């Protein structure tokens, strides 16, 4: 599950858990725990991804399907996920949630339950980065351009649409 914060990844991950019995592994939950454990902000993202990869391997080794709920801004996230799936003879599926209207993203970010690691709005950084607004619009545009995706066989979803339109596409793709 890939996409910028507020694009609908966690909502779709919850659907996949309910529909397919997968285990959700949420990067924001792990990142918050790493921060709570005292890891400095500068090194917390790398530590959180290493935990995410280890938990993903462990769950797959138990014979369970996983849905990894994380932005995919760096090539290693994509290649590591594909390598982990291959090592466990699991089918790799990639779903990217897209929302280009930053007003919609901002509203979603403000309405969701807040974890320490999450942005509180498009221009409101996570609590550990202070309370000064930043140029969130520029940051989100950069993130939209940086999303990594496989060369083929992925599902790109316009998350402006109602969930009732999106969920059947997700189910069909995952059953495929």
């Amino acid at each position: 599950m890939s996409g910028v914060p507020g694009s609908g990844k966690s909502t779709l991950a919850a659907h996949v858990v309910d529909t397919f019995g997968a285990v959700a592994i949420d990067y924001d939950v792990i990142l918050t725990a790493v921060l709570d454990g005292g890891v400095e902000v500068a090194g917390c993202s790398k530590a959180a991804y290493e935990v995410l990869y280890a938990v993903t391997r462990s769950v797959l080794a138990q014979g369970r399907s996983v849905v990894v709920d994380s932005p995919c801004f760096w090539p290693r996230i994509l290649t590591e996920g594909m390598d982990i799936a291959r090592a466990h003879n699991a089918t790799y599926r990639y779903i990217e949630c897209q929302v280009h209207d930053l007003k919609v993203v901002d509203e979603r970010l403000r309405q969701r339950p807040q974890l320490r690691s999450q942005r509180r709005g498009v221009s409101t950084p996570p609590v550990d980065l202070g309370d000064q607004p930043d140029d969130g619009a520029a940051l989100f545009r950069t993130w939209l351009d940086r999303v990594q995706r496989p060369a083929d066989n992925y599902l790109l979803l316009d998350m402006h649409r109602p969930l009732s339109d999106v969920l059947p596409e997700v189910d069909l793709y995952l059953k495929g």
Side-chain angles (χ1 to χ4, degrees), residues 18-173:
D18 290 344
T19 304
F20 296 94
V23 175
I25 303 173
D26 187 327
Y27 172 74
D28 286 320
V29 170
I30 294 169
L31 182 58
T32 296
V34 167
L35 287 165
D36 288 347
V39 175
E40 294 295 322
V41 172
C44 66
S45 183
K46 180 175 180 5
Y49 273 110
E50 294 306 321
V51 171
L52 181 139
Y53 302 143
V55 172
T56 300
R57 286 185 194 95
S58 176
V59 172
L60 285 171
Q62 295 170 45
R64 301 290 307 271
S65 296
V66 299
V67 55
V68 176
D69 178 351
S70 164
C72 193
F73 297 145
W74 297 278
R76 179 171 180 224
I77 298 167
L78 181 64
T79 58
E80 192 75 23
M82 294 166 78
D83 290 347
I84 291 169
R86 193 171 19 263
H88 290 87
N89 295 317
T91 302
Y92 183 85
R93 298 276 190 237
Y94 179 100
I95 299 173
E96 181 181 336
C97 301
Q98 284 191 346
V99 176
H100 294 283
D101 184 341
L102 294 184
K103 289 179 184 175
V104 170
V105 171
D106 190 65
E107 182 178 318
R108 290 178 181 179
L109 293 176
R110 292 181 186 284
Q111 289 179 356
R112 71 182 178 183
Q114 293 295 310
L115 294 176
R116 177 179 177 178
S117 65
Q118 295 175 317
R119 293 187 72 81
R120 296 164 287 163
V122 168
S123 295
T124 311
V127 67
D128 288 281
L129 297 180
D131 287 325
Q132 293 299 323
D134 59 18
D135 187 358
L139 182 62
F140 272 79
R141 282 191 293 277
T142 299
W143 283 343
L144 283 166
D145 292 338
R146 267 185 35 201
V147 171
Q148 303 292 307
R149 62 185 66 89
D152 57 11
N153 193 26
Y154 63 88
L155 180 61
L156 183 62
L157 295 171
D158 175 357
M159 295 299 290
H160 290 96
R161 298 180 300 146
L163 276 176
S164 59
D165 293 347
V166 172
L167 296 180
E169 290 179 44
V170 171
D171 294 349
L172 185 63
Y173 173 70

